[in-house]
Amino acid sequence: MVTCFLISFFERSADRLECGPDSATASPLPGTPPPHPEYLGDRARLRLKKKKQKNNELMADVHFVLGPPGATRTVPAHKYVLAVAPVAFLILLKYMYSDEIDLEADMVLATLYAAKKYIVPALAKACINFLETSLKAKNACVLLSQSRLFEEPELTQRCLEFIDAQAEMVLRSEGFCEIDRQTLEIIITREAFNTKEEVVFEALLNWAEAECKRQGLPVTPGNKRHLVRIPTMTLEEFAKRAAQADILTLEETHAIFLWYTATNKPRLDFPLTKRKGLSPQRCHRFQSSVYRSNQWQYRGHCDSIQFAVDRRVFIAGLSLYGSSSGKAEYSVKIELKRLGMVLAQNLTKFMSDGSGNTFPVWFEHSVQVEQDICYTASAVLDGSNLSYFGQEGMTEVQCGKVAFQFQCSWDSTNGTGVQGGQIPELIFCA
């Protein structure tokens, strides 16, 4: 039976997760494992070869004549070093002649390559900014791989933060199955993953199947063995999927079931520590909450507020007020919009205990919110007539390193504004 390279890869990853990265080789990016030795070796050898050919006549394709007449110098060069895509080169030339930057989505990586090759830092920075604002679940993993190739640590860190916050959508994307093995290892060992381990398991299964096809290997149980933090799944999650996926041996399956159920737990060759995930923060915009016998009702009207932040964050949900007349259930629809376009929404229910406490309502997926751009958070509740509401609202609220600014929304039809009303808290990850 063919033994897939994935076995040794994931076993090696397991050792790192159990023991921690060696201090001498640890990556400068927090929470990121060191690059794979093979990756460093290939790049080091390529750099050495290119260095030896600098100013070398051997197999030179072109000669540059430099200097004034009578004092010229001829410098040999090689087309494989100088070559760039035509469109990217035209963008480079346009910038050098006119200081104008006209980037295209399908050519931005090629333009970044040209800008770095010919040492045009302003154009390279523009490319990085373009890529950062273009981050989506479908391209985050590919951009992470490219950021490592181009040695852009800021873009790398930005990609990792995005992947952590929107882990489930990223792992379910087609782009995840297209990444190289080293990038996969960086992603899958993240502690801040904001998703369930069963989602990680399914993603690894899909990636391995795609990789085996790329390598020309048969897709068999031996080829699809994965390292997942299986013991951090619930027993039900393990029994429904992982135990029946035909990637574990009978001995491993038996040992894991015993680990869930027995007093004397067997030793497992899987990481046992649950991922830390992201810690949501709450921006509270009111200084007090009150209720009155003839005022604030949530009966199908829209409560809405506009806000902006001074740095990029991910909005995970809203906290809401509930009943002031005892325990009550509310139906609620929450939305997050930008320029009238719905970015996220959720239709659900929550129980209010009759106190002035706030009650969190979550979006299905966290939403990336850019700095200095206006967004609108809305809630439509239907439930108990008499309700709590906030007062002494603040126009600006500092939450850790993030400053929130609030203003009234035209969508609000139930009285909510900056000074008082509903939506007391925005739940976010920074």
Side-chain angles (χ1 to χ4, degrees), residues 225 230 235 238-261 266-270:
R225 176 188 174 93
I230 287 180
L235 175 57
F238 172 70
K240 282 186 174 181
R241 186 67 179 101
Q244 301 183 49
D246 204 21
I247 65 169
L248 302 172
T249 65
L250 289 175
E251 291 78 9
E252 288 172 330
T253 303
H254 180 254
I256 293 171
F257 271 119
L258 286 178
W259 190 89
Y260 280 115
T261 57
R267 181 184 180 280
L268 298 180
D269 293 326
F270 298 91

Side-chain angles (χ1 to χ4, degrees), residues 355-389:
S355 72
N357 296 331
T358 60
F359 303 92
V361 181
W362 305 90
F363 293 115
E364 291 186 10
H365 304 286
S366 59
V367 181
Q368 181 177 227
V369 166
E370 301 291 341
Q371 69 181 53
D372 301 327
I373 294 177
C374 193
Y375 294 83
T376 302
S378 301
V380 177
L381 294 94
D382 197 359
S384 176
N385 278 343
L386 300 179
S387 310
Y388 281 90
F389 61 96

Side-chain angles (χ1 to χ4, degrees), residues 210-226:
E211 182 66 8
C212 286
K213 289 179 179 178
R214 286 191 289 267
Q215 297 284 339
L217 298 171
V219 182
T220 66
N223 297 61
K224 296 201 293 185
R225 176 188 174 93
H226 299 282

Side-chain angles (χ1 to χ4, degrees), residues 50-95:
K50 290 172 67 177
K51 187 175 181 180
K52 287 181 178 180
Q53 287 198 280
K54 184 182 72 173
N55 201 21
N56 192 330
E57 286 284 355
L58 180 63
M59 299 181 70
D61 305 290
V62 64
H63 290 78
F64 292 95
V65 180
L66 307 173
T72 60
R73 179 181 177 184
T74 302
V75 178
H78 303 78
K79 65 182 181 182
Y80 84 93
V81 176
L82 300 173
V84 296
V87 176
F89 189 69
L90 289 174
I91 295 172
L92 174 66
L93 280 181
K94 183 176 181 179
Y95 171 73

Side-chain angles (χ1 to χ4, degrees), residues 281-294:
Q281 303 177 55
R282 300 192 183 197
C283 173
H284 195 92
R285 66 189 191 92
F286 295 127
Q287 299 182 65
S288 63
S289 62
V290 294
Y291 73 91
R292 296 176 189 150
S293 60
N294 62 346

Side-chain angles (χ1 to χ4, degrees), residues 303-306 376-378 407-413 416-418:
D303 289 284
S304 184
I305 193 73
Q306 288 189 338
T376 302
S378 301
Q407 63 185 42
C408 295
S409 167
W410 289 103
D411 293 347
S412 191
T413 59
T416 288
V418 173

Side-chain angles (χ1 to χ4, degrees), residues 117-295:
K117 172 176 281 192
Y118 294 110
I119 318 176
V120 187
L123 181 58
K125 180 62 176 176
C127 292
I128 295 300
N129 291 339
F130 185 96
L131 291 171
E132 286 186 351
T133 57
S134 302
L135 267 174
K136 296 180 175 61
K138 64 182 181 181
N139 66 8
C141 294
V142 174
L143 287 181
L144 173 62
S145 179
Q146 294 295 326
S147 71
R148 295 174 58 239
L149 177 64
F150 288 120
E151 297 182 327
E152 288 291 342
E154 291 185 10
L155 180 57
T156 297
Q157 186 63 32
R158 181 72 199 99
C159 289
L160 290 172
E161 291 171 355
F162 184 95
I163 290 168
D164 287 342
Q166 299 199 347
E168 183 170 346
M169 289 194 296
V170 168
L171 293 175
R172 295 187 189 278
S173 71
E174 293 183 3
F176 178 78
C177 293
E178 298 172 358
I179 57 177
D180 59 276
R181 185 176 57 161
Q182 289 77 37
T183 302
L184 173 80
E185 186 173 354
I186 289 174
I187 293 173
I188 223 63
T189 53
R190 298 287 291 174
E191 286 292 332
F193 252 7
N194 202 32
T195 191
K196 293 183 178 180
E197 198 66 21
E198 62 177 327
V199 176
V200 180
F201 173 81
E202 291 292 341
L204 284 171
L205 206 64
N206 293 335
W207 179 88
E209 182 173 342
E211 182 66 8
C212 286
K213 289 179 179 178
R214 286 191 289 267
Q215 297 284 339
L217 298 171
V219 182
T220 66
N223 297 61
K224 296 201 293 185
R225 176 188 174 93
H226 299 282
L227 171 68
V228 187
R229 304 185 185 194
I230 287 180
T232 68
M233 296 180 183
T234 66
L235 175 57
E236 182 180 6
E237 289 169 347
F238 172 70
K240 282 186 174 181
R241 186 67 179 101
Q244 301 183 49
D246 204 21
I247 65 169
L248 302 172
T249 65
L250 289 175
E251 291 78 9
E252 288 172 330
T253 303
H254 180 254
I256 293 171
F257 271 119
L258 286 178
W259 190 89
Y260 280 115
T261 57
T263 302
N264 296 322
K265 299 183 183 300
R267 181 184 180 280
L268 298 180
D269 293 326
F270 298 91
L272 306 179
T273 306
K274 189 174 183 178
R275 300 176 196 271
K276 295 179 181 178
L278 296 175
S279 299
Q281 303 177 55
R282 300 192 183 197
C283 173
H284 195 92
R285 66 189 191 92
F286 295 127
Q287 299 182 65
S288 63
S289 62
V290 294
Y291 73 91
R292 296 176 189 150
S293 60
N294 62 346
Q295 180 178 351

